Amino acid sequence: MQPNRAIRRRTLRALAGVIIVTPLLNAGPVLASETYPSKPIRLIVGYPPGGSNDIAARIIAPELSQLLGVSVVVENKAGANGVIGADHVAKAEPDGYTLLLSSMSPVILAPQTMKQPPFNTLKDFAAVNTMALTPEAIAMGPKRQGINTLPELLDLAKKERITLSSSGSGGLPHLTIELLKKVRPNIEHVPYKGAGPALTDTLAGHVDGIVMDLPPLYSQIKEGKLKALAVTSEQRVSFLSQVPTAQESLPGFNVENWVGIFAPAKTPASVLTTLDQAVRKAVTQPKVKTALEAVALSPVTQDSPAAFQKQVADDYARWGKILRDAGVEMN
């Protein structure tokens, strides 16, 4: 009987070793927790394909997929300057499987220009992290080939109506145009439903020029199809160093946009931590940084979700005042 008991004890110890070791051998990606994620993640973009939000989403999604061990699928839900897509995420289950990739317009600006916004940005979203920054670009299309500088545009706008397109009402490009209108009331805003249609009509000569986040315009500027008059960052951007900043002509004219990722409010802290770690690691990857810079996005992350949440609150207050002072309302 003793030998049998000894054999059974050795067998149990061997089985215990299998039970302990097997999960380690089958462990998933380093950034994935034990329970999250376990199914595909939807990354919602509130604009049609082709805009800066969509470009950023399609750059980072494959890297997030690899880091998290599940598919990260970009889904466009366009309308109301990104508000429809943002609202979809605000009302989604707070389980980390429906996320929003957004610039400032859908979550900071547009809701503050609506009489009845469908969500409260400061209460209905949990910030994950930023991934990039971009200025606005002020550029002219073929209809106004004689305008080569921002001062020339402002001089012409003293006596002629100038039309500038944007990706929609209530967004940062719209607000940039409103700030230009404070200088020259003859400048007229022409909103479109997304960056693609606005760019198409500008290149076709239906409007004089365009104001947009730099990424959708970058290739057209490099190819000479659009004439960049200014960027709205604090300093000139390295990849378009010949283009002056707007504040070189208009002191204090500074508008920069971020692109970040959000989850619905009440998403568990452990899920936000997993997502934050994945976003920050993804943005540091050389291929992601190169891809972002190639489309005029500067890779930038915050120290934590809390740091991004504070920036959202600060920007909400700052731009809310600017919107109210400018009297901007969404159609």
Side-chain angles (χ1 to χ4, degrees):
M1 298 297 293
Q2 291 294 335
N4 289 338
R5 282 198 296 269
I7 292 170
R8 283 198 297 270
R9 282 197 297 270
R10 286 196 297 270
T11 302
L12 288 172
R13 283 197 296 269
L15 288 173
V18 171
I19 292 170
I20 292 169
V21 172
T22 299
L24 297 177
L25 294 176
N26 294 332
V30 175
L31 296 178
S33 68
E34 291 183 6
T35 58
Y36 173 86
S38 60
K39 63 181 182 179
I41 295 171
R42 299 162 65 218
L43 187 58
I44 305 298
V45 174
Y47 295 97
S52 58
N53 286 226
D54 180 72
I55 292 169
R58 295 181 191 279
I59 288 173
I60 200 169
E63 193 66 24
L64 291 178
S65 296
Q66 184 173 351
L67 289 167
L68 294 170
V70 297
S71 297
V72 177
V73 181
V74 177
E75 185 174 329
N76 300 87
K77 285 188 175 294
N81 198 44
V83 170
I84 289 175
D87 185 48
H88 178 81
V89 175
K91 293 177 170 58
E93 285 293 320
D95 55 10
Y97 292 103
T98 304
L99 305 176
L100 175 70
L101 186 142
S102 178
S103 56
M104 288 175 58
S105 292
V107 294
I108 300 294
L109 305 178
Q112 298 193 79
T113 66
M114 303 173 73
K115 292 180 179 178
Q116 293 183 317
F119 55 79
N120 182 318
T121 296
L122 302 182
K123 294 181 179 180
D124 294 337
F125 293 102
V128 175
N129 215 316
T130 55
M131 60 171 289
L133 289 176
T134 180
E136 303 302 303
I138 303 168
M140 305 309 293
K143 186 177 179 182
R144 294 286 189 175
Q145 291 183 344
I147 301 176
N148 296 303
T149 67
L150 183 56
E152 289 176 1
L153 172 66
L154 298 176
D155 285 344
L156 185 62
K158 289 180 180 179
K159 50 192 176 184
E160 291 186 25
R161 183 176 70 103
I162 300 294
T163 56
L164 296 177
S165 67
S166 84
S167 54
S169 295
L172 204 59
H174 175 190
L175 183 56
T176 303
I177 294 171
E178 291 295 331
L179 293 176
L180 288 172
K181 287 176 64 176
K182 290 286 186 180
V183 181
R184 293 289 183 267
N186 271 344
I187 292 175
E188 180 181 341
H189 173 226
V190 183
Y192 285 81
K193 293 183 178 180
L199 180 57
T200 297
D201 266 19
T202 304
L203 293 173
H206 299 307
V207 291
D208 296 322
I210 188 169
V211 175
M212 196 81 67
D213 291 352
L214 188 49
L217 308 185
Y218 185 45
S219 63
Q220 306 294 333
I221 292 170
K222 288 198 300 181
E223 294 171 9
K225 296 178 181 178
L226 291 174
K227 176 65 180 180
L229 307 185
V231 292
T232 61
S233 47
E234 185 73 25
Q235 299 178 342
R236 295 191 184 196
V237 294
S238 59
F239 38 80
L240 284 176
S241 59
Q242 77 280 10
V243 178
T245 65
Q247 60 186 350
E248 290 177 40
S249 303
L250 299 172
F253 200 106
N254 182 31
V255 181
E256 282 191 289
N257 202 356
W258 43 251
V259 178
I261 294 176
F262 296 83
K266 299 182 181 179
T267 298
S270 60
V271 172
L272 293 179
T273 297
T274 297
L275 291 169
D276 168 54
Q277 291 175 347
V279 170
R280 284 193 286 155
K281 188 171 181 62
V283 173
T284 64
Q285 300 304 304
K287 62 183 176 182
V288 172
K289 292 180 69 174
T290 299
L292 288 172
E293 291 169 351
V295 294
L297 285 166
S298 300
V300 174
T301 58
Q302 305 297 319
D303 291 336
S304 65
F308 184 28
Q309 192 78 49
K310 182 181 185 301
Q311 181 175 352
V312 169
D314 291 346
D315 285 341
Y316 196 88
R318 176 197 176 199
W319 289 104
K321 183 179 186 305
I322 293 173
L323 283 162
R324 290 189 295 273
D325 291 347
V328 177
E329 292 185 2
M330 193 169 178
N331 295 326

